[in-house]
Every structure is written in C-alpha cells, then in structure tokens.
Amino acid sequence: MMPFHSNNTSQEALNQSFCFSINKPQSQISHPIASAYFSAVFCVLGLSSNLFAFVVLVKSFKQTHSHSRSSFLLFLCGLVVTDFMGLLVTGAIVVTFHITHFNWMELDPHCHLCNFMGMSMVFYGLCPLLLGATMAVERFVGITRPFARSTKMSKSRVCTIMASVWVAAGCISLLPLFGLGSYHLQIPGSWCFLNISPKPLDMAFCLVFSLVGLTSLAVSFILNTVSVVTLLRVCCGQDSTQRRRDYEVEMMVQLILIMVIASICWYPLLIYILKTVFSADAVDNPFILFCLRMATINQICDPWIYILCQESRLRCLLHRQYCLHQSWTSPNCCSTFALPPGTRSWIPGSTSSSVVPY
C-alpha cells in the first residue's frame, strides 16, 4: 500500500505543478517594470479610458440617424466592452499578485487560476483582432457593394455577429483544456499564457493563436485599403456632390487608426511566437514581457480613437476640407454650412441627416 500511495502522490504532484514546470522559482523572478505601481497605473488608465469611450459612443449612438453609422457604433461598443473586461479580469490578477506576492503553487496547486488567466489572455487578445476584421468586412461591403447587401443591418444582427466572434475566440481559448497546447506561468510570475514550445501540441496551439491573429490583421489591411480607394474615387469623382460619403470617411478614419494601432501593438508578439516555435529557440522572457506590454497598450489607445473621432474637431476638419473642395462652385459654403441635399450635417456635434439617413 505504501509504494502505491507514494506513486499516486508523485503523479498528483506532477499534475498539480504542470503549469509551473517551465519557470524559475518565484524567489528568482524579477523584472524592473514588474511592480504593483506600474501594473496598477496601466490597469486604471485602460479601464478609465474604455469607460469614458463607452459613454461617448452610447451618446453618439443615441443621436445618430444613420443605419450604417449605428451599426458601426455598435461594433465599437462591443470592442470597448471587450477591452474593458479584458483589462479588468487580467489586471485584477496581476495587480493582486504584485500587492500580495502570493505563491501560485500554494494558492493554485491544480492550475485552475493559471488556466483561467491563460484563457482570458488568449480570449481578450483575439477578440479585438477578430472584431477589427469583422468591422473591415462590414465597411468593405457597405462601401463597395451598397446595393448588394441588405439595406439596413438590424441591431440584433450586429449583436449576433459580435456574439459569434466572442464564441469563436472562446473556443480557441478552450483548446488547451482539451489537450491542444497548455497554459504556463510566465516570468515575472504575475501572469499565465500559452506555452511557447516546439512540442507538437504546444506548437499547434501557438500556430492557431498566431495565425488567427495575423490573418485578422491581414484581412483588415486588405479590405480597409480597398474601401479607402473606393471611397476616394466616390468622393473625388465627378459625382462627388451627389454622392458625398462624409460620414463614411469618418468611420474609415477610425477603422484605419484601429488597424494601424493593432498592427503595431500585436505584430511583435504574434511574429515572435511563430519564430520561436519554428526555430525551437529558448524563449526570451524580457522580450515576451515587452510584447505583452505592447499588446496591452492597444487596449489603452483604442478608446482614445473613439473619443477623439466622436468629438467635433474631426467633423470641423472634414467640413473644412469639404468647403475648400466646394468653394469653386459655392463661395458661401463655409459661411452657411450648407451641404448638398441628402448628406449629413457637419455642424459640430450633429449626427443627423438632412434628408434621409444612409
């Protein structure tokens, strides 16, 4: 009975400590930016920015009468809520660790908390990228095929699409629980993430995560580029007076900024994961932590795009450019704020259409 009990205990200990197996003892873990102050400032700044952006977006959503714009604002609200929850869930664990310095092996011997945080990191990491690609598809269809799609995308349909994105990201994050890949505690010991390893199952999960993220960014880049070129042709063509797309320009500006910031923040991490699993090199822990900080910055910068683009300064700038374009045929354009029939008013703060919303 004793040998059997001993083997059983050893196997249980191995299973319990699996998510800690690749890391140094916590007493040896240190990093200059791994502090409670740094993490708390990051978390508070991100949460407050996303909360402020959500209030601004809700206010704009209530004021708009454009069906295309209301659908776009719903997507933005979903993106803000996702970023907010991601910072709240992961930030709470990280800040708590830095304040209390709890021992992961004692607090979480069965790796439940580590797996939960790893799933949260993957889920809230992929969701913004997938939502960005979804918004790019919606704008691409709306601009290049305005009569091919349904004329009005209902709120329920937008919510269904966002729910589908969340489900897809959730299914990917659950793969390690079914044996594909694993989550491990990462240096400096405050967070758990996928195991970047050349082992077949870990490598497969790393490839899924990286390729889904990179594909989302590539889809966003290609479709946004086509949308911008199409929009420029429409706005600058001979029928620009009859087919003003000023509100669509505003949405494309936001979408391009979202794509650029997401690319800058996420490409280092996604490319590094691919490079590491294929080359079988040892993980550069300081660089991985730097990439994580970059990805977190995306959740902080995104809401300020919505905040700044919803304010009147962008509308004034676009209206001024419109007036300069129209001044040759209508000298009183800038003084009277008169726009062609059927276009949206660019009076600062206005989101209404003068005749019929698009």
Short mmCIF file of all heavy atoms in Angstrom, two decimals, residues 23 25 57 69 89 136 158 169 171 176 234 256 259 262 280 282 289 295 312 314 332 339:
data_model
loop_
_atom_site.label_atom_id
_atom_site.label_comp_id
_atom_site.label_asym_id
_atom_site.label_seq_id
_atom_site.Cartn_x
_atom_site.Cartn_y
_atom_site.Cartn_z
N ASN A 23 9.16 27.35 -15.35
CA ASN A 23 9.58 28.61 -14.79
C ASN A 23 10.56 28.44 -13.64
O ASN A 23 10.64 27.39 -13.01
CB ASN A 23 8.36 29.39 -14.28
CG ASN A 23 7.49 29.86 -15.43
OD1 ASN A 23 7.80 30.84 -16.06
ND2 ASN A 23 6.44 29.11 -15.71
N PRO A 25 12.03 29.29 -9.85
CA PRO A 25 11.37 29.54 -8.57
C PRO A 25 11.04 31.02 -8.43
O PRO A 25 11.77 31.88 -8.91
CB PRO A 25 12.41 29.10 -7.54
CG PRO A 25 13.29 28.14 -8.28
CD PRO A 25 13.32 28.62 -9.70
N LEU A 57 -19.53 56.80 -26.94
CA LEU A 57 -20.13 56.03 -28.02
C LEU A 57 -21.64 55.87 -27.83
O LEU A 57 -22.41 55.94 -28.79
CB LEU A 57 -19.47 54.66 -28.11
CG LEU A 57 -18.04 54.64 -28.66
CD1 LEU A 57 -17.44 53.25 -28.55
CD2 LEU A 57 -18.00 55.11 -30.10
N ARG A 69 -24.03 54.00 -39.73
CA ARG A 69 -23.25 54.53 -38.62
C ARG A 69 -23.65 53.88 -37.30
O ARG A 69 -22.81 53.59 -36.45
CB ARG A 69 -23.44 56.05 -38.54
CG ARG A 69 -22.64 56.70 -37.42
CD ARG A 69 -22.77 58.20 -37.48
NE ARG A 69 -22.24 58.82 -36.28
CZ ARG A 69 -20.96 58.99 -36.02
NH1 ARG A 69 -20.06 58.58 -36.90
NH2 ARG A 69 -20.55 59.57 -34.91
N VAL A 89 -10.30 41.77 -15.91
CA VAL A 89 -10.06 40.39 -15.47
C VAL A 89 -8.57 40.12 -15.27
O VAL A 89 -8.14 39.66 -14.21
CB VAL A 89 -10.67 39.40 -16.49
CG1 VAL A 89 -10.26 37.97 -16.14
CG2 VAL A 89 -12.18 39.53 -16.52
N ALA A 136 -14.01 45.57 -40.68
CA ALA A 136 -13.46 45.85 -42.00
C ALA A 136 -14.31 45.20 -43.09
O ALA A 136 -14.55 45.80 -44.15
CB ALA A 136 -12.02 45.34 -42.07
N VAL A 158 -26.23 42.71 -35.75
CA VAL A 158 -24.90 43.15 -35.30
C VAL A 158 -24.51 42.42 -34.02
O VAL A 158 -23.38 41.94 -33.88
CB VAL A 158 -24.87 44.67 -35.09
CG1 VAL A 158 -23.54 45.11 -34.48
CG2 VAL A 158 -25.11 45.40 -36.41
N ALA A 169 -13.56 33.12 -30.49
CA ALA A 169 -12.37 33.36 -29.66
C ALA A 169 -12.40 32.50 -28.41
O ALA A 169 -11.37 31.99 -27.96
CB ALA A 169 -12.30 34.84 -29.28
N CYS A 171 -13.80 29.51 -28.08
CA CYS A 171 -13.48 28.12 -28.44
C CYS A 171 -11.97 27.93 -28.60
O CYS A 171 -11.42 26.90 -28.18
CB CYS A 171 -14.19 27.75 -29.74
SG CYS A 171 -15.99 27.59 -29.58
N PRO A 176 -6.58 24.34 -25.00
CA PRO A 176 -5.66 23.67 -24.07
C PRO A 176 -6.36 22.78 -23.05
O PRO A 176 -5.77 21.81 -22.57
CB PRO A 176 -4.93 24.83 -23.39
CG PRO A 176 -4.96 25.93 -24.39
CD PRO A 176 -6.31 25.80 -25.04
N VAL A 234 -15.15 57.73 -55.06
CA VAL A 234 -16.51 58.24 -54.96
C VAL A 234 -16.51 59.70 -54.57
O VAL A 234 -17.22 60.52 -55.15
CB VAL A 234 -17.31 57.40 -53.93
CG1 VAL A 234 -18.66 58.07 -53.64
CG2 VAL A 234 -17.54 55.99 -54.46
N ILE A 256 -9.17 52.74 -39.84
CA ILE A 256 -7.76 52.71 -40.23
C ILE A 256 -6.87 52.89 -39.00
O ILE A 256 -5.85 52.20 -38.83
CB ILE A 256 -7.47 53.81 -41.27
CG1 ILE A 256 -8.13 53.48 -42.61
CG2 ILE A 256 -5.96 53.98 -41.47
CD1 ILE A 256 -7.62 52.23 -43.26
N MET A 259 -6.80 49.74 -36.99
CA MET A 259 -5.97 48.73 -37.64
C MET A 259 -4.49 49.02 -37.45
O MET A 259 -3.70 48.11 -37.14
CB MET A 259 -6.31 48.67 -39.12
CG MET A 259 -5.48 47.67 -39.91
SD MET A 259 -5.62 47.94 -41.70
CE MET A 259 -4.75 49.51 -41.88
N ALA A 262 -3.47 48.39 -33.78
CA ALA A 262 -3.48 46.94 -33.51
C ALA A 262 -2.29 46.26 -34.16
O ALA A 262 -1.67 45.37 -33.55
CB ALA A 262 -4.79 46.33 -34.01
N ALA A 280 12.67 26.63 -32.55
CA ALA A 280 12.95 25.88 -31.31
C ALA A 280 13.95 26.61 -30.42
O ALA A 280 14.65 25.99 -29.62
CB ALA A 280 13.44 24.47 -31.63
N ALA A 282 15.16 29.13 -27.31
CA ALA A 282 14.68 29.38 -25.95
C ALA A 282 13.88 30.69 -25.93
O ALA A 282 14.19 31.64 -26.67
CB ALA A 282 15.85 29.46 -24.99
N LEU A 289 7.74 39.71 -22.30
CA LEU A 289 7.06 40.64 -21.42
C LEU A 289 6.88 42.00 -22.09
O LEU A 289 5.83 42.64 -21.95
CB LEU A 289 7.86 40.80 -20.12
CG LEU A 289 7.18 41.61 -19.00
CD1 LEU A 289 5.86 40.98 -18.60
CD2 LEU A 289 8.11 41.72 -17.79
N ALA A 295 0.96 44.77 -26.44
CA ALA A 295 -0.41 44.33 -26.71
C ALA A 295 -1.39 45.01 -25.76
O ALA A 295 -2.52 45.34 -26.15
CB ALA A 295 -0.51 42.81 -26.58
N SER A 312 -16.11 67.04 -31.99
CA SER A 312 -16.41 67.93 -33.11
C SER A 312 -15.18 68.32 -33.92
O SER A 312 -15.31 68.78 -35.04
CB SER A 312 -17.08 69.21 -32.59
OG SER A 312 -16.23 69.89 -31.68
N LEU A 314 -12.84 66.54 -35.41
CA LEU A 314 -12.72 65.81 -36.66
C LEU A 314 -13.79 66.25 -37.65
O LEU A 314 -13.52 66.43 -38.83
CB LEU A 314 -12.84 64.31 -36.40
CG LEU A 314 -12.81 63.42 -37.65
CD1 LEU A 314 -11.47 63.55 -38.35
CD2 LEU A 314 -13.07 61.97 -37.29
N ASN A 332 -20.30 80.45 -50.79
CA ASN A 332 -20.90 80.64 -49.47
C ASN A 332 -20.92 79.36 -48.63
O ASN A 332 -21.54 79.31 -47.58
CB ASN A 332 -22.34 81.15 -49.62
CG ASN A 332 -22.39 82.51 -50.28
OD1 ASN A 332 -21.50 83.33 -50.05
ND2 ASN A 332 -23.40 82.74 -51.09
N LEU A 339 -24.86 72.05 -47.10
CA LEU A 339 -24.37 70.84 -47.75
C LEU A 339 -25.42 70.39 -48.76
O LEU A 339 -26.58 70.72 -48.66
CB LEU A 339 -24.12 69.74 -46.72
CG LEU A 339 -22.97 70.02 -45.74
CD1 LEU A 339 -22.88 68.87 -44.74
CD2 LEU A 339 -21.65 70.17 -46.47
#
